[in-house]
């Protein structure tokens, strides 16, 4: 007895239903993609708030000799501290605190964070000196930014961070010990004050703000 090969044909009506379902799915996917693109565009074109440091017109120079403005770091969470490289007292501890914060950040958010050290002694802290200081302190990755500017710009920026500093000798300054966290819009989100203090809350705030970017 020969076996019969059964040949089922999909009804024409069922094919039409499948096409309708497929078309509907494609329309939905395109609509979702449009919403995502719109959201990205809105984020990119979002106006700078009045509380943002990206409003500052001052120009700065980094450790690589490149000129930039604060708004050039728009879209990143900024962890900022003001130091001077010849400091032998408080600054080494602030630098250690910054390194500790960086080391404790999860790898998946590090691309969304910049750690910025701003000099209060621009006369001494040239780009070359800042680059050397970065190398000495093992802070050479792309996440590390060292900045210097004019005395006037530095004073203005210190006022924004509520950092006070004063030259007390030809080589020394007295200054506040504050690490500031700014969100991706350049708005102050948190401040850590003191030396060698517990950084748990600082790190949690950085993580919270960085995760909003993704």
């Amino acid at each position: 007895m020969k076996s019969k090969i059964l040949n089922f044909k999909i009804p024409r009506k069922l094919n039409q239903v499948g096409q309708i379902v497929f078309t509907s799915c494609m329309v939905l996917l395109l609509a979702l993609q449009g919403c995502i693109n719109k959201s990205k565009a809105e984020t990119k074109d979002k106006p700078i708030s009045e509380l943002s440091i990206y409003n500052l017109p001052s120009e700065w120079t980094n450790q690589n000799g490149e000129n930039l403005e604060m708004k050039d770091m728009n879209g990143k969470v900024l962890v900022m501290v003001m130091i001077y490289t010849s400091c032998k007292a408080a600054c080494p501890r602030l630098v250690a605190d910054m390194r500790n914060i960086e080391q404790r950040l999860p790898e998946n958010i590090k691309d969304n964070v910049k750690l910025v050290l701003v000099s209060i002694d621009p006369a001494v802290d040239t780009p070359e000196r800042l680059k050397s200081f970065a190398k000495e302190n093992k802070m050479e990755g792309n996440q590390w930014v060292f900045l210097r500017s004019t005395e006037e710009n530095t004073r203005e920026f210190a006022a924004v961070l509520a950092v006070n500093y004063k030259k007390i000798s030809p080589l020394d300054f007295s200054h506040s010990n504050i690490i500031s966290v700014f969100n991706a819009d350049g708005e102050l989100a948190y401040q850590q004050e003191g030396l060698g203090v517990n950084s748990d809350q600082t790190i949690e705030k950085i993580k919270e703000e960085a995760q909003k970017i993704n």
Side-chain angles (χ1 to χ4, degrees), residues 1 9 36 68 80 129 136-137 139 149-150 211:
M1 180 178 179
K9 291 185 178 181
I36 292 170
L68 68 152
M80 309 189 84
R129 173 59 192 144
E136 291 165 10
N137 288 278
M139 303 162 88
S149 189
T150 63
Q211 285 165 356

PDB file of all heavy atoms in Angstrom, residues 1 9 36 68 80 129 136-137 139 149-150 211:
ATOM      1  N   MET A   1       0.846  -1.194   0.000  1.00  0.00           N
ATOM      2  CA  MET A   1       0.000   0.000   0.000  1.00  0.00           C
ATOM      3  C   MET A   1       0.877   1.239   0.000  1.00  0.00           C
ATOM      4  O   MET A   1       1.774   1.383   0.820  1.00  0.00           O
ATOM      5  CB  MET A   1      -0.896   0.001   1.255  1.00  0.00           C
ATOM      6  CG  MET A   1      -1.804   1.217   1.339  1.00  0.00           C
ATOM      7  SD  MET A   1      -2.872   1.131   2.798  1.00  0.00           S
ATOM      8  CE  MET A   1      -3.739   2.661   2.580  1.00  0.00           C
ATOM      9  N   LYS A   9      -2.958  23.113   1.946  1.00  0.00           N
ATOM     10  CA  LYS A   9      -2.838  24.455   1.400  1.00  0.00           C
ATOM     11  C   LYS A   9      -3.420  25.450   2.390  1.00  0.00           C
ATOM     12  O   LYS A   9      -4.495  25.224   2.958  1.00  0.00           O
ATOM     13  CB  LYS A   9      -3.572  24.572   0.064  1.00  0.00           C
ATOM     14  CG  LYS A   9      -2.922  23.781  -1.054  1.00  0.00           C
ATOM     15  CD  LYS A   9      -3.620  24.038  -2.369  1.00  0.00           C
ATOM     16  CE  LYS A   9      -2.948  23.280  -3.500  1.00  0.00           C
ATOM     17  NZ  LYS A   9      -3.615  23.537  -4.792  1.00  0.00           N
ATOM     18  N   ILE A  36      11.164  57.081  19.723  1.00  0.00           N
ATOM     19  CA  ILE A  36      12.531  57.045  20.272  1.00  0.00           C
ATOM     20  C   ILE A  36      13.377  58.148  19.668  1.00  0.00           C
ATOM     21  O   ILE A  36      14.087  58.872  20.360  1.00  0.00           O
ATOM     22  CB  ILE A  36      13.172  55.661  20.011  1.00  0.00           C
ATOM     23  CG1 ILE A  36      12.457  54.594  20.833  1.00  0.00           C
ATOM     24  CG2 ILE A  36      14.657  55.685  20.345  1.00  0.00           C
ATOM     25  CD1 ILE A  36      12.840  53.173  20.475  1.00  0.00           C
ATOM     26  N   LEU A  68      38.168  74.945  25.700  1.00  0.00           N
ATOM     27  CA  LEU A  68      36.782  74.506  25.759  1.00  0.00           C
ATOM     28  C   LEU A  68      35.977  75.385  26.713  1.00  0.00           C
ATOM     29  O   LEU A  68      36.542  76.138  27.510  1.00  0.00           O
ATOM     30  CB  LEU A  68      36.672  73.049  26.203  1.00  0.00           C
ATOM     31  CG  LEU A  68      37.070  72.707  27.649  1.00  0.00           C
ATOM     32  CD1 LEU A  68      36.291  71.492  28.133  1.00  0.00           C
ATOM     33  CD2 LEU A  68      38.557  72.431  27.762  1.00  0.00           C
ATOM     34  N   MET A  80      33.251  67.438  40.228  1.00  0.00           N
ATOM     35  CA  MET A  80      34.217  68.532  40.122  1.00  0.00           C
ATOM     36  C   MET A  80      34.818  68.894  41.475  1.00  0.00           C
ATOM     37  O   MET A  80      34.136  68.876  42.511  1.00  0.00           O
ATOM     38  CB  MET A  80      33.541  69.760  39.509  1.00  0.00           C
ATOM     39  CG  MET A  80      32.803  69.481  38.216  1.00  0.00           C
ATOM     40  SD  MET A  80      32.230  70.962  37.358  1.00  0.00           S
ATOM     41  CE  MET A  80      33.722  71.411  36.466  1.00  0.00           C
ATOM     42  N   ARG A 129      51.895  71.357  33.098  1.00  0.00           N
ATOM     43  CA  ARG A 129      51.959  70.952  34.509  1.00  0.00           C
ATOM     44  C   ARG A 129      50.757  70.080  34.864  1.00  0.00           C
ATOM     45  O   ARG A 129      50.890  69.081  35.583  1.00  0.00           O
ATOM     46  CB  ARG A 129      52.009  72.200  35.403  1.00  0.00           C
ATOM     47  CG  ARG A 129      51.902  71.910  36.906  1.00  0.00           C
ATOM     48  CD  ARG A 129      53.016  70.997  37.380  1.00  0.00           C
ATOM     49  NE  ARG A 129      52.768  70.499  38.724  1.00  0.00           N
ATOM     50  CZ  ARG A 129      53.096  69.278  39.129  1.00  0.00           C
ATOM     51  NH1 ARG A 129      53.670  68.409  38.300  1.00  0.00           N
ATOM     52  NH2 ARG A 129      52.854  68.903  40.382  1.00  0.00           N
ATOM     53  N   GLU A 136      51.338  61.675  37.146  1.00  0.00           N
ATOM     54  CA  GLU A 136      51.886  61.347  38.471  1.00  0.00           C
ATOM     55  C   GLU A 136      50.845  60.677  39.361  1.00  0.00           C
ATOM     56  O   GLU A 136      51.175  59.805  40.177  1.00  0.00           O
ATOM     57  CB  GLU A 136      52.391  62.620  39.163  1.00  0.00           C
ATOM     58  CG  GLU A 136      53.630  63.240  38.525  1.00  0.00           C
ATOM     59  CD  GLU A 136      53.861  64.666  39.028  1.00  0.00           C
ATOM     60  OE1 GLU A 136      53.179  65.081  39.996  1.00  0.00           O
ATOM     61  OE2 GLU A 136      54.722  65.352  38.451  1.00  0.00           O
ATOM     62  N   ASN A 137      49.604  61.084  39.189  1.00  0.00           N
ATOM     63  CA  ASN A 137      48.542  60.581  40.053  1.00  0.00           C
ATOM     64  C   ASN A 137      47.673  59.507  39.397  1.00  0.00           C
ATOM     65  O   ASN A 137      46.602  59.177  39.914  1.00  0.00           O
ATOM     66  CB  ASN A 137      47.670  61.748  40.511  1.00  0.00           C
ATOM     67  CG  ASN A 137      48.366  62.626  41.528  1.00  0.00           C
ATOM     68  OD1 ASN A 137      48.399  62.319  42.716  1.00  0.00           O
ATOM     69  ND2 ASN A 137      48.957  63.725  41.061  1.00  0.00           N
ATOM     70  N   MET A 139      45.866  59.476  36.693  1.00  0.00           N
ATOM     71  CA  MET A 139      44.541  59.986  36.320  1.00  0.00           C
ATOM     72  C   MET A 139      44.571  60.389  34.843  1.00  0.00           C
ATOM     73  O   MET A 139      44.297  61.526  34.485  1.00  0.00           O
ATOM     74  CB  MET A 139      44.175  61.176  37.208  1.00  0.00           C
ATOM     75  CG  MET A 139      44.200  60.835  38.695  1.00  0.00           C
ATOM     76  SD  MET A 139      44.272  62.284  39.780  1.00  0.00           S
ATOM     77  CE  MET A 139      42.540  62.654  39.991  1.00  0.00           C
ATOM     78  N   SER A 149      42.104  78.444  33.773  1.00  0.00           N
ATOM     79  CA  SER A 149      41.617  79.594  33.022  1.00  0.00           C
ATOM     80  C   SER A 149      42.256  80.850  33.598  1.00  0.00           C
ATOM     81  O   SER A 149      43.295  80.782  34.256  1.00  0.00           O
ATOM     82  CB  SER A 149      40.088  79.666  33.094  1.00  0.00           C
ATOM     83  OG  SER A 149      39.591  80.654  32.206  1.00  0.00           O
ATOM     84  N   THR A 150      41.652  81.978  33.363  1.00  0.00           N
ATOM     85  CA  THR A 150      42.155  83.231  33.933  1.00  0.00           C
ATOM     86  C   THR A 150      41.763  83.307  35.409  1.00  0.00           C
ATOM     87  O   THR A 150      40.882  82.567  35.876  1.00  0.00           O
ATOM     88  CB  THR A 150      41.551  84.441  33.203  1.00  0.00           C
ATOM     89  OG1 THR A 150      40.120  84.429  33.423  1.00  0.00           O
ATOM     90  CG2 THR A 150      41.839  84.388  31.709  1.00  0.00           C
ATOM     91  N   GLN A 211      22.518  57.147  35.357  1.00  0.00           N
ATOM     92  CA  GLN A 211      21.554  56.182  34.836  1.00  0.00           C
ATOM     93  C   GLN A 211      20.402  56.872  34.101  1.00  0.00           C
ATOM     94  O   GLN A 211      19.742  56.259  33.264  1.00  0.00           O
ATOM     95  CB  GLN A 211      21.030  55.318  35.972  1.00  0.00           C
ATOM     96  CG  GLN A 211      22.038  54.280  36.442  1.00  0.00           C
ATOM     97  CD  GLN A 211      21.696  53.655  37.785  1.00  0.00           C
ATOM     98  OE1 GLN A 211      20.725  54.031  38.434  1.00  0.00           O
ATOM     99  NE2 GLN A 211      22.509  52.691  38.199  1.00  0.00           N
TER     100      GLN A 211
END
